Amino acid sequence: MTNYDIEMWRYGKELKIRRPEPMLDFDHVKSKSAILQNVEIRLNEHGLRGGPLSALPPGGRRILFLGASITFGWGVPEQDTVEAKLETMLSAIDKQPVQVLNAGVGNYNTERYISRFFDELTDLHPTDIVVHYCLRDAEDLPAGGGNFLLQHSELAVTLWGAYHRVFEKTGEQSMVQYYRDVYQPNSPGMIKMKEKLKQLSDYAKAHGIRIYLAMTPITYNLVDYKFDFAHDIMRQVSAEYGYIYCDQLSTMKGIPSKDIWAMPTDPHPNALGHRLMAEAILPTLSQSGDASINK
């Protein structure tokens, strides 16, 4: 079986590059591809997942997804990602041409993916921006070069992964408490996340861009889900900053982990998970002509 830790290490080695800005830390390389976790990953000239970007026809709609590894579609073929699914769905019902772009980057949080948008993606001139938000996106991620052995040794990565799975306290209750702490109003990650969401909201209002926050559930236990508190908080944050809110838990709740994980050691949503996320987001995007954030 493919080793999740090794494949993530290869992702960092083959498709990422260090950035001098501490806030970003690293970024996708441009115009490169690799086979990771048995899936072809293509990065185009903008570092977005997918092929070369075509010009947007007059009157067309360009929807840009910002997010981390779930948005990126780790472990999922390109045509099965939430972005590709939505482009197909929207093209079938919208009267104008539609492009749905995948700007997800693995191991990013809200601070990083919004900073990356302002640093290098504003020239894409999206008509809509979807913050494809995950529970982890309020975590405070320190910048830095990391451990040299983890960067350069597959054996070290394997041992590191085994150690943390066996010895760390990873029970569900400790995870719930961890995220309750993360979502405290005065936590560093929470403060940075809200600052970036406000910055993006201000930019969108100034440029006539529709913005959305699509809340993605964590997939560890969708049968007895214990993270509704974070969804409630992000619904309030969305309302505060003028985001159109959409919750993907509605289509995913109750599904056993074995049916929705990319593989037994990888909790990223598989193709089924991406289809369900697309089905949850579709009504919000298809009705957006009647809803505006520029009020």
Side-chain angles (χ1 to χ4, degrees), residues 244-264:
I244 302 168
Y245 181 79
C246 170
D247 201 317
Q248 297 152 93
L249 183 60
S250 60
T251 57
M252 300 171 73
K253 194 169 185 178
I255 298 178
S257 298
K258 66 180 180 64
D259 294 336
I260 205 167
W261 282 20
M263 67 181 192

Side-chain angles (χ1 to χ4, degrees), residues 225-239:
Y225 196 69
K226 299 184 184 301
F227 300 93
D228 298 273
F229 64 90
H231 293 241
D232 293 339
I233 289 170
M234 294 313 299
R235 184 180 292 105
Q236 295 169 10
V237 171
S238 297

Side-chain angles (χ1 to χ4, degrees), residues 22-24 108-116 137 139-141 189 192-193 195-196:
M23 190 177 293
L24 283 173
Y108 264 21
N109 61 2
T110 303
E111 180 184 27
R112 287 179 176 176
Y113 55 68
I114 292 181
S115 296
R116 181 183 182 230
D137 292 356
E139 292 182 10
D140 188 25
L141 300 179
K192 293 175 183 178
M193 176 268 287
E195 287 175 348
K196 283 298 174 181

